[in-house]
């Protein structure tokens, strides 16, 4: 049996674990970091992400003419999060929300900048709220280099730390249980992924930073929120393959309280990855604003048309209300060039490699590389020069003949006729949403100006079959503001801490039902730093 001994054991080598290790080394502690995945995947889901971070009161905001305050951000956060009415149950989530908005500039932004992390100059405006109540101003700061650049830069910083010798990193180590000594958590035990050799790690404190439950579709179905009815037949997996809830079970067995697991951040526009790295591996599209969103029959979903950028959770809710819980987006090549995007570092190479020229070229001429890549490789994309042929291909793909040509044609013609009347007479809610999106220059650069669907000059037509895709857990281990895991009576369990997605990004659910986007990477950094500071004071 392998034995490890240090002041602190960190379980999980994602963003939260890396940040906590950096802080603990700087505080003079010895650290053992146990990661279930392999060395090349060090950084977890953050490394694969697009890299947006929710920040308040930044220089980037001020240079863009945005006046933002923690008070405004907290109002937006709490109203959009739709927290429950049980004040006792929501006490710690609300406290974490308040701490985040007040500390994001100092504890996240000003911590990242000296470590070589920069942002695109223009914050993006996402989660505006379907009827208001979302982000009042743009706050989504995209990391220059995507999440891949964020993770790899912090990993480089970790390896270059002056006290690197006090850090032991072990990959391929699956933690299965926590150990205790006279009522205090004293370490953990598990097996190695390859040869199944047992190991024990002992420490004065254990920090669980092993992600959420959304990598287990079985658990996603088990905790499916009541608002969404029954789970869809197909749910794609866009989470980390080892975010399977095993550590939630271990913490619960040690007396920790697990809360709000039905609060999830899933997406409505998932498609199959053609090179899957896990069962049901999906990609999360950034749904084109100018596409028509249709149900399984080809009917336009309504009465309020579905448009991304306003309320991600509502998109999932509307799809799940359909008789068959998948959908289609109908667009043309011109819309795809300007608006089609895939969330994550893998499909944004210009930002990932920090190529100003490539990024500028895509903004001006469209992302032809991505459009070609998706239409050529992804099974859920079909293209055709005419609507008749497109509908035939949609039905052939699904294999049930459900999409009705006349229904789809009528929806397209009505929409195009609205555009022909001119902006002064637009009476379609999707066109109103597009007009609103284009008022902010960050969205104007990637949103068409009232583009018709059946435009002969914009062909070919494209239809995308989309599924619900699992992504992030908004609930988890309940923690106080020192990231100490609490038991059922609200008392900290000695020696046990949690950070990042494992803790619902803080407090066991600091976002409520909805996240304002960017609170996920930001939440990992914020909760990990708080955990490290508290551990350093106690050990």
């Amino acid at each position: 049996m392998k034995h490890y001994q240090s002041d602190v054991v960190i379980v999980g080598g994602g963003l939260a674990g890396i940040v906590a290790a950096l802080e603990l080394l700087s505080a003079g502690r010895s650290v053992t970091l146990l990661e279930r995945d392999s060395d090349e995947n060090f950084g977890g889901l953050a490394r694969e992400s697009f890299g947006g971070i929710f920040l308040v009161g930044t220089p980037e905001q001020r240079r863009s003419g945005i006046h933002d305050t923690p008070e405004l951000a907290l109002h937006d956060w709490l109203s959009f999060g739709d927290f429950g009415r049980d004040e006792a149950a929501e006490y710690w989530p609300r406290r974490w929300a308040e701490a985040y908005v007040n500390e994001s500039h100092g504890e996240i932004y000003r911590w990242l900048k000296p470590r070589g992390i920069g942002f695109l100059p223009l914050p993006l405006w996402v989660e505006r709220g379907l009827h208001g109540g979302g982000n009042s101003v743009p706050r989504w700061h995209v990391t220059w280099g995507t999440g891949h650049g964020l993770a790899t830069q912090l990993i480089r910083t970790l390896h270059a730390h002056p006290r690197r010798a006090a850090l032991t990193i072990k990959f391929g180590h699956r933690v299965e249980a926590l150990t205790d000594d006279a009522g205090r958590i004293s370490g953990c035990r598990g097996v190695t992924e390859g040869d199944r050799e047992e190991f024990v790690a002992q420490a004065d404190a254990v920090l669980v930073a092993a992600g959420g439950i959304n990598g287990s579709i079985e658990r996603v179905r088990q905790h499916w929120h009541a608002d969404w009815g029954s789970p869809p037949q197909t749910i794609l997996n866009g989470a980390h393959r080892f975010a399977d809830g095993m550590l939630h079970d271990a913490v619960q067995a040690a007396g920790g309280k697990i809360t709000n697991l039905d609060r999830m951040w899933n997406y409505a526009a998932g498609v199959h990855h053609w090179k899957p790295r896990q069962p049901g591996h999906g990609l999360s599209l950034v749904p084109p604003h100018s596409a028509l969103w249709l149900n399984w029959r080809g009917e336009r979903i309504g009465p309020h048309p579905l448009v991304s950028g306003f309320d991600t959770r509502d998109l999932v809710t509307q799809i799940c209300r359909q008789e068959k819980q998948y959908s289609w987006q109908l667009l043309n090549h011109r819309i795809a060039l300007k608006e089609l995007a895939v969330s994550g570092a893998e499909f944004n190479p210009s930002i990932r490699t920090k190529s100003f020229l490539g990024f500028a070229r895509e903004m001006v001429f469209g992302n032809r590389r991505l459009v070609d890549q998706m239409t050529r490789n992804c099974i859920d994309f079909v293209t055709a020069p005419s609507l008749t042929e497109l509908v035939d291909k949609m039905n052939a793909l699904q294999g049930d003949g459900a999409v009705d040509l006349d229904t789809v044609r009528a929806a397209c013609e009505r929409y195009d006729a609205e555009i022909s009347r001119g902006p002064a007479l637009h009476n379609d809610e999707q066109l109103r949403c597009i007009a609103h999106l284009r008022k902010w220059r960050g969205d104007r650069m990637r949103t068409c100006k009232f583009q018709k669907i059946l435009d002969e000059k914009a062909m070919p037509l494209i239809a995308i079959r989309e599924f619900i895709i699992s992504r992030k857990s908004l609930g988890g281990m309940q923690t106080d503001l020192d990231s100490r895991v609490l038991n059922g009576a609200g008392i900290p369990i000695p020696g046990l801490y949690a950070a990042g997605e494992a803790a619902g990004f803080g407090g066991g659910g600091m976002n409520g039902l909805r996240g304002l986007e960017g609170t996920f990477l930001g939440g990992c950094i914020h909760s990990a730093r708080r955990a490290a500071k508290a551990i350093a004071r106690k050990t």
Side-chain angles (χ1 to χ4, degrees):
M1 180 181 291
K2 296 181 178 180
H3 291 266
Y4 307 108
Q5 180 75 51
S6 57
D7 295 330
V8 185
V9 168
I10 299 174
V11 182
L15 181 59
I18 292 166
V19 170
L22 279 167
E23 294 288 85
L24 287 164
L25 290 177
S26 296
R29 303 303 185 269
S30 61
V31 177
T32 300
L33 194 157
L34 303 174
E35 167 56 38
R36 187 174 171 183
D37 213 335
S38 55
D39 188 358
E40 60 266 24
N41 296 322
F42 194 18
L45 194 61
R47 185 172 182 150
E48 302 175 18
S49 71
F50 193 59
I53 301 179
F54 179 99
L55 296 166
V56 180
T58 64
E60 286 79 4
Q61 286 180 308
R62 291 193 293 272
R63 285 194 294 267
S64 298
I66 301 166
H67 177 67
D68 197 11
T69 65
E71 293 76 19
L72 178 61
L74 183 60
H75 174 270
D76 293 347
W77 188 309
L78 295 179
S79 62
F80 195 60
D82 195 16
F83 288 81
R85 296 182 180 180
D86 186 339
E87 292 186 6
E90 301 292 358
Y91 177 78
W92 287 115
R94 285 174 174 267
R95 290 289 304 279
W96 273 95
E98 183 176 359
Y100 186 105
V101 298
N102 280 291
E103 298 172 5
S104 71
H105 185 262
E107 296 295 305
I108 302 173
Y109 182 87
R110 293 181 63 185
W111 188 82
L112 289 173
K113 292 290 282 188
R115 288 165 176 79
I117 307 299
F119 300 93
L120 293 180
L122 192 64
L124 298 181
W125 196 0
V126 294
E127 299 305 300
R128 302 176 183 215
L130 194 58
H131 304 291
N135 276 310
S136 297
V137 297
R139 297 188 176 107
W140 201 57
H141 295 65
V142 176
T143 305
W144 184 231
T146 69
H148 184 274
L150 170 67
T152 54
Q153 177 61 23
L154 291 180
I155 290 169
R156 283 193 292 267
T157 304
L158 184 63
H159 285 309
H161 197 281
R163 297 192 65 253
R164 174 63 178 83
L167 172 65
T168 300
I169 304 177
K170 292 297 178 179
F171 296 101
H173 280 53
R174 186 177 77 189
V175 173
E176 297 180 330
L178 302 172
T179 58
D180 71 275
D181 183 7
R184 180 182 182 86
I185 298 301
S186 58
C188 60
R189 59 179 175 81
V191 297
T192 57
E193 284 287 341
D195 54 17
R196 308 287 296 176
E197 184 178 359
E198 294 183 353
F199 68 84
V200 172
Q202 295 177 303
D204 295 325
V206 174
L207 172 62
V208 178
I213 67 165
N214 280 53
S216 167
I217 300 302
E218 179 182 354
R219 295 204 189 219
V220 169
R221 292 182 182 279
Q222 179 185 348
H223 296 286
W224 196 249
H225 199 281
D227 289 354
W228 294 333
S230 59
Q233 182 178 353
T234 298
I235 302 175
L236 298 180
N237 196 338
H240 194 283
R241 64 191 180 117
F242 290 146
D244 58 7
M246 182 178 291
L247 267 298
H248 292 67
D249 294 342
V251 167
Q252 193 167 41
K257 185 176 182 179
I258 309 298
T259 65
N260 301 317
L261 290 184
D262 61 344
R263 296 180 181 178
M264 306 177 194
W265 200 243
N266 300 325
Y267 292 91
V271 296
H272 290 84
H273 200 310
W274 55 92
K275 293 182 179 179
R277 297 188 291 273
Q278 58 190 353
H281 190 182
L283 300 172
S284 181
L285 301 186
V286 180
H289 300 130
S290 300
L292 295 186
W293 214 319
L294 313 175
N295 70 10
W296 64 284
R297 289 193 182 96
E299 300 163 334
R300 196 173 176 197
I301 299 174
H304 192 289
L306 303 193
V307 184
S308 64
F310 294 88
D311 188 334
T312 296
R313 191 176 194 276
D314 183 71
L315 296 178
V316 175
T317 302
Q318 297 307 321
I319 300 300
C320 288
R321 284 178 178 170
Q322 305 301 311
E323 182 180 343
K324 295 187 179 179
Q325 298 158 308
Y326 68 92
S327 61
W328 297 92
Q329 278 201 291
L330 179 61
L331 61 158
N332 56 46
H333 192 256
R334 181 178 293 170
I335 293 172
L337 283 178
K338 194 170 187 68
E339 299 186 12
L340 182 65
V342 178
S343 179
E346 181 181 2
F347 294 92
N348 292 276
S350 295
I351 301 177
R352 187 184 70 240
T353 61
K354 301 182 181 181
S355 171
F356 285 105
L357 182 60
F359 181 63
R361 186 185 299 115
E362 290 172 3
M363 289 296 100
V364 175
F365 299 108
N367 198 339
R368 189 174 301 275
R369 171 200 52 78
L370 178 64
V371 175
D372 291 346
Q373 187 179 27
M374 299 304 293
T375 55
R376 185 173 60 250
N377 296 309
C378 182
I379 190 175
D380 297 307
F381 279 66
V382 294
T383 66
S386 70
L387 193 60
T388 300
E389 186 177 343
L390 186 78
V391 170
D392 286 343
K393 288 187 174 182
M394 293 164 70
N395 282 325
L397 176 61
Q398 188 61 22
D400 59 8
V403 180
D404 180 70
L405 173 60
D406 291 338
T407 299
V408 176
R409 189 186 304 280
C412 291
E413 290 177 348
R414 282 195 298 270
Y415 182 76
D416 289 355
E418 283 275 352
I419 293 176
S420 295
R421 295 187 186 104
L425 299 176
H426 284 170
N427 200 32
D428 186 285
E429 195 61 35
Q430 182 167 347
L431 296 176
R432 292 193 186 106
C433 288
I434 290 171
H436 179 53
L437 288 163
R438 285 181 52 83
K439 289 179 180 179
W440 176 244
R441 59 187 182 276
D443 287 306
R444 187 164 59 245
M445 292 188 298
R446 55 191 185 93
T447 303
C448 293
K449 187 178 182 180
F450 310 126
Q451 172 60 50
K452 295 179 180 179
I453 303 297
L454 303 179
D455 181 350
E456 292 295 332
K457 297 179 181 179
M459 296 297 176
L461 292 169
I462 302 171
I464 311 171
R465 183 181 59 177
E466 297 172 347
F467 301 93
I468 303 301
I469 182 169
S470 172
R471 192 66 172 171
K472 308 178 187 83
S473 302
L474 298 189
M477 303 160 198
Q478 190 163 76
T479 56
D480 65 10
L481 287 178
D482 283 336
S483 292
R484 298 180 297 180
V485 175
L486 307 177
N487 65 18
I491 299 171
I493 297 175
L496 183 58
Y497 300 77
E501 192 177 357
F505 304 97
M510 71 173 188
N511 286 282
L513 283 179
R514 295 178 182 83
L516 288 171
E517 280 287 11
T519 60
F520 314 127
L521 295 183
C524 286
I525 297 168
H526 181 240
S527 60
R529 294 200 67 205
R530 276 189 163 268
K533 291 175 183 178
I535 292 170
R537 290 195 301 268
K538 295 286 186 179
T539 59

